[in-house]
Amino acid sequence: AQKITQTQPGMFVQEKEAVTLDCTYDTSDPSYGLFWYKQPSSGEMIFLIYQGSYDQQNATEGRYSLNFQKARKSANLVISASQLGDSAMYFCAMREEGNNRLAFGKGNQVVVIP
Amino acid sequence: DAGVIQSPRHEVTEMGQEVTLRCKPISGHDYLFWYRQTMMRGLELLIYFNNNVPIDDSGMPEDRFSAKMPNASFSTLKIQPSEPRDSAVYFCASSLLEGVDEQFFGPGTRLTVL
């Protein structure tokens, strides 16, 4: 069964605009962590932000914020003030407690246009 | 710190040949992961080590794949014999702790089997 679902098609975003990338997950474990990674065309995987299932507040890291809705099992990434360098694939991932396996979604393609 | 180091960055080989991919994790990290990324299957965890010991190899596709970690600063992923369907990008990642700690990825090895 797929644990992480990212279904949005490729997105074009105007520079300086905000963009929201959807991620829903499936787990019966009460304790888990959610991660977002960025993969630019150069291929490396860059860690962006982490949200723990027991965290009371939504995680933020600079221009990245995570809209965590636990009851809906969603962990959407919000990128504010998009920059040309934000053009990349974005992957949502989950790790359940006691398990070091990161389950990745299929990714969202974002292209920022000037 | 130099980050996770992988070599080679690109490998082109012929079907039936042995392929060895190498990884040096970030110094002090206790966990090392090997992933494979393809268009069809996305990012998949192949195997991970804790303190040089293989913990979960359930993602290793078949007996042609083997991984070792002889010491804390070096790991190899070997494919013997290689097949065209093994063509993919192979990532090595390391993390300091389990649980909330993010995984830091290497630049990947792009493998092409002709």
Side-chain angles (χ1 to χ4, degrees):
Chain A
Q2 193 170 5
K3 288 186 175 287
I4 298 288
T5 302
Q6 295 178 263
T7 57
Q8 287 167 301
M11 304 173 69
F12 288 91
V13 182
Q14 199 75 42
E15 196 177 7
K16 300 181 183 177
E17 296 290 310
V19 59
T20 298
L21 307 181
D22 296 340
C23 171
T24 58
Y25 57 91
D26 181 28
T27 181
S28 57
D29 199 321
S31 179
Y32 51 89
L34 297 157
F35 301 76
W36 277 91
Y37 283 83
K38 171 184 178 182
Q39 187 176 40
S41 58
S42 50
E44 71 269 31
M45 294 286 288
I46 303 167
F47 167 74
L48 296 179
I49 195 166
Y50 167 81
Q51 178 83 45
S53 59
Y54 291 119
D55 293 344
Q56 294 297 312
Q57 292 188 324
N58 287 341
T60 61
E61 287 287 347
R63 294 186 299 108
Y64 304 108
S65 60
L66 205 152
N67 183 1
F68 181 46
Q69 298 186 45
K70 194 170 182 177
R72 296 181 60 186
K73 293 188 176 178
S74 74
N76 299 340
L77 177 70
V78 180
I79 307 174
S80 62
S82 298
Q83 302 172 356
L84 297 179
D86 294 334
S87 296
M89 283 286 287
Y90 290 82
F91 292 92
C92 180
M94 177 178 67
R95 183 165 61 203
E96 294 162 312
E97 184 181 15
N99 185 344
N100 270 301
R101 301 180 67 85
L102 264 182
F104 283 87
K106 297 294 187 185
N108 297 103
Q109 179 75 53
V110 173
V111 176
V112 181
I113 52 178
Chain B
D1 200 312
V4 177
I5 299 172
Q6 290 186 249
S7 65
R9 294 292 309 275
H10 302 274
E11 177 80 27
V12 180
T13 190
E14 292 187 345
M15 183 174 62
Q17 296 297 306
E18 177 180 295
V19 175
T20 299
L21 311 181
R22 298 173 176 80
C23 175
K24 176 178 168 55
I26 293 173
S27 177
H29 281 193
D30 294 328
Y31 290 84
L32 184 139
F33 307 81
W34 281 101
Y35 290 89
R36 178 172 66 176
Q37 185 178 33
T38 61
M39 287 294 293
M40 290 296 294
R41 300 174 67 91
L43 264 163
E44 305 172 278
L45 177 68
L46 300 177
I47 185 172
Y48 80 89
F49 296 82
N50 179 21
N51 291 323
N52 313 338
V53 176
I55 302 299
D56 183 350
D57 65 354
S58 59
M60 295 287 263
E62 48 196 275
D63 291 345
R64 297 185 297 105
F65 286 69
S66 62
K68 294 182 180 180
M69 192 165 186
N71 57 62
S73 59
F74 184 65
S75 177
T76 60
L77 178 67
K78 186 177 294 186
I79 308 171
Q80 167 63 19
S82 59
E83 297 181 1
R85 59 192 170 119
D86 301 330
S87 298
V89 179
Y90 291 82
F91 287 101
C92 176
S94 70
S95 69
L96 183 58
L97 300 168
E98 64 182 328
V100 305
D101 209 47
E102 69 266 28
Q103 296 178 14
F104 293 87
F105 281 72
T109 295
R110 182 173 295 277
L111 173 65
T112 303
V113 183
L114 303 174

